[in-house]
Amino acid sequence: MVDRMDGGRIRDLSGGVNQRGVRDYNERLLLSILQRQGALPGSDLARRMGLSPPAVSTILRKLEAEGLLLRGSPVRGKVGKPSIPMELNADGILSVGLKIGRRNADILLLDLAGNTRDQISTTYDYPLPEIVFQFLERGFGKIIDRLDQSAQDKLCGIGIAAPFELWKWNDLEGEAAEKFKSWRDVDFTSEVQKFSHLPVFVVNDSTAACRAEHLFGRGKEYRDYAHFFIGSFIGGGVVINSTVFEGNRGNAGALGSMSATGPLGESRQLIDVASLHLLEARLLQGGMEADLLWRKPQDWSALMRFVEPWIGETAQELAKAALSVCSVIDFEAVLIDGAFPAEIRDELVARIKRYLVHQDTRGLIVPAIKSGSIGVNARGIGAAASPIFSQFFLNANAGLSALRSPAS
């Protein structure tokens, strides 16, 4: 399997270091720049990293030899030798991701460029542990069987995206409810090691969606932003200093738990007033099949008499939530995405913008409200990206933990 790069100190993306023993940092920095900027020649990389051209050349040769980089076509200028841009080799690394949702689960095979190479999906009434891990084991086996030995050797890990405190969100009773509570004691790594020795990376599902957008979507356009992802339950993520910030316990950006107000003035959370489970309930009350929401490819055209009022109500709540998050951190943008068709997302964003006009914005800088670009697969893509990001790219916020005292 691909070796991990165990890095040392983390700084921002503006400069590297020449000292021996910290080459892994420079490798991560170089790979991160190419991931965000695209193909660049060595001279540009040296300038961006603050390293000498020979130092960058050495790193490029090493990463190319490991299969992580490819040479592009020479670019000829007016004078001097042509420059040769270097780019990420999509085939250089592969990773597997599992998304655990309320009604469905997905297993994805992802490459270094963020392309989904393979995908297997399933649906269920509730994600009980035995159902989910049976699906993961069988699905993982199918994906592996479709790969030749060379591709299998490039697998770097398995990422799992699951809701925070998964065991708390169910309306089951009796024996089924007790089985669901067993999620509290599940050791994801131990479960995966029953059928694979790949390293396991567990991440909050909404954080995973945010990471997918940041690495492979519109997140490249912004340095600091908030990300809302609307699934059965709404969740979120935050990006600070061009890196997804997970927080001390991995639950930063728990935007679904933001305070909201119910129709009778009662205290609620955002998940209670701006989630797809509300639309699902309305479909059931109207005699419709709720699984129409989760079928792929998604087509909600027959559901619009239920979807339209849901969009209006959700937009009002998200307009208020967008301003609330910006009262804490001066985000330049708020990105909106979810497990729905692109046209639903775009209409939701348009409505949020209209509702923002009527909000009290005193003391605030109103953020840009933008559509995300990944869509329904964001959580699965983010799960699969976690092993790649953790082992090969630069986490510009990781060094913040060094500032805490051991007792904190």
Side-chain angles (χ1 to χ4, degrees), residues 148-289:
D148 59 29
Q149 188 58 52
S150 174
Q152 291 183 30
D153 290 340
K154 294 174 181 176
L155 287 166
C156 71
I158 297 175
I160 299 177
F164 180 67
E165 295 186 338
L166 173 59
W167 57 88
K168 289 186 176 180
W169 49 273
N170 76 90
D171 51 8
L172 297 171
E173 296 179 355
E175 183 179 355
E178 291 304 314
K179 286 184 177 180
F180 201 88
K181 290 179 182 178
S182 67
W183 277 113
R184 178 194 295 270
D185 302 315
V186 165
D187 184 326
F188 287 94
T189 299
S190 297
E191 293 294 333
V192 172
Q193 286 179 344
K194 293 177 182 179
F195 57 86
S196 172
H197 294 297
L198 287 171
V200 178
F201 300 80
V202 181
V203 63
N204 177 275
D205 60 339
S206 296
T207 301
C210 183
R211 172 159 291 141
E213 189 69 54
H214 185 64
L215 290 175
F216 310 119
R218 297 199 64 183
K220 295 182 179 182
E221 302 173 25
Y222 306 102
R223 181 179 182 272
D224 305 305
Y225 62 90
H227 180 267
F228 286 92
F229 188 89
I230 306 173
S232 289
F233 297 103
I234 192 172
V238 295
V239 171
I240 301 173
N241 193 26
S242 296
T243 299
V244 176
F245 185 69
E246 296 187 40
N248 186 36
R249 288 171 287 185
N251 197 42
L255 306 183
S257 297
M258 293 175 63
S259 179
T261 303
L264 301 179
E266 71 275 23
S267 177
R268 308 293 293 274
Q269 289 191 343
L270 194 61
I271 58 171
D272 301 315
V273 295
S275 297
L276 282 178
H277 73 85
L278 300 170
L279 178 56
E280 183 181 48
R282 290 180 180 180
L283 291 178
L284 292 173
Q285 292 172 1
M288 303 288 289
E289 295 181 23

Side-chain angles (χ1 to χ4, degrees), residues 83-139:
S83 62
I84 300 177
M86 301 296 290
E87 62 185 353
L88 297 181
N89 177 10
D91 296 327
I93 305 171
L94 298 174
S95 181
V96 173
L98 167 69
K99 183 271 294 187
I100 304 173
R102 178 180 172 87
R103 294 291 185 236
N104 59 358
D106 300 294
I107 300 174
L108 301 178
L109 178 68
L110 199 73
D111 65 26
L112 184 56
N115 302 308
T116 299
R117 298 289 188 90
D118 201 351
Q119 180 169 351
I120 300 173
S121 303
T122 190
T123 59
Y124 37 61
D125 292 330
Y126 288 95
L128 297 174
E130 61 268 26
I131 294 175
V132 170
F133 288 113
Q134 284 177 9
F135 168 66
L136 176 58
E137 180 175 0
R138 293 170 183 172

Side-chain angles (χ1 to χ4, degrees), residues 292-347:
L292 292 172
L293 293 175
W294 318 114
R295 290 180 187 173
K296 297 177 183 178
Q298 290 183 304
D299 180 3
W300 288 14
S301 57
L303 309 176
M304 292 310 296
R305 66 187 178 97
F306 300 97
V307 173
E308 280 286 348
W310 176 84
I311 290 176
E313 295 164 7
T314 302
Q316 292 185 62
E317 298 298 335
L318 286 178
K320 293 182 286 187
L323 291 178
S324 294
V325 298
C326 289
S327 69
V328 180
I329 296 176
D330 183 18
F331 290 118
E332 58 188 309
V334 172
L335 272 57
I336 309 294
D337 202 1
F340 35 53
E343 60 270 19
I344 302 298
R345 176 185 62 211
D346 294 342
E347 177 60 24

